Amino acid sequence: MISRREWLRTTAGAGVALTASGWRFGDAGGVWGGNPGPGVQDMILKPIPSSGERIPVIGLGGRWISTRAGEEELAGHRAVLRALASGAEGGGRVFDTAPGYGGGGSEEYGGRWAEEDRFQEDIFWATKVNVAGRGGGSVDPADVRRQIDRSFERLRIPVIDLNQVHNMGDPPTQLGVLKEYKASGRIRYIGITTTSERQYPELVQVMEDYPIDFVGVDYAIDSRLAEEAVFPAALDQGVAVMVYLPFGRSRMWARIGDRRLPEWASEFDASTWAQFMLKFVVAHPAVTVAVPGTGDAEHMVDNLGGGRGRLPTAEHLRRMIDLVEDLPGA
């Protein structure tokens, strides 16, 4: 079994794709070369239903940036965020973080790097709030406001694009506070998240009861329960969907191993397994953006390829599911 990095370096199709995108291997984590190179397709954009604003279908999940990381590791993570933000139409913009990610490091370092490297305005800043814990009880609104204000300080921006209640924590109170910030213009979009399937019924109820813009859920080619109730409700209510864990909590990589990508993946412009999995996710009409997490800049550039070119047809999607269900560990 080979690692994803080894697979990328030994697969000609991926190498061509990364080079064409302006990527140069080497140099302490790699360098994003700027605008997309000749022949590189623009990133697919999807609209946020509540506003019509269009955002790239591939973003970045920021759990990996930690206050405990060393200088070399942080330099690599900085390159990941730069790779996300750079590349004009060929790049992504959505950076999803939270106050608790990396002991606060995700918000703190993300905000600092964007300010120092002058790409703050190139990022769609998405963070979260939850002072109730995972699905906890009622909270004090003052505590909610303090956490939100701390996010503004760490991110170093006057307006947060999206703030979501994390893990379904006390929706009435925390969504109520977020609604106040939205009314004042300091937060543009609000929402709520869960990666727990048992909370999906409650999530659907929140979409029906509150005027939210986004929900965040887990969804992958081998984890499709969100299709049954969450996605139909999002389409009915006009709510954008942000997808977490599009690689199935990394279990897909173990199942794929060193298998070759099927030749028919080229029919929807997937040249790597990451692009194969991401294209499956963003092909769903309810999905607005997927935010795979990575601390590796090469992987970030590879992931962005999942948002370019053609998307799978219905027949492709059936073949993709059949292929994955035949892999070991299904």
Side-chain angles (χ1 to χ4, degrees), residues 65 79 111 120 154 161 170 227 229 307 310 325:
I65 308 176
Q120 283 176 309
R154 287 171 168 169
D161 293 296
D170 189 3
E227 294 177 350
R310 294 168 291 181
E325 289 182 346

Side-chain angles (χ1 to χ4, degrees), residues 4-5 51 62 125 304:
R4 182 182 176 191
R5 178 183 291 276
S51 70
W125 296 97
L304 290 173

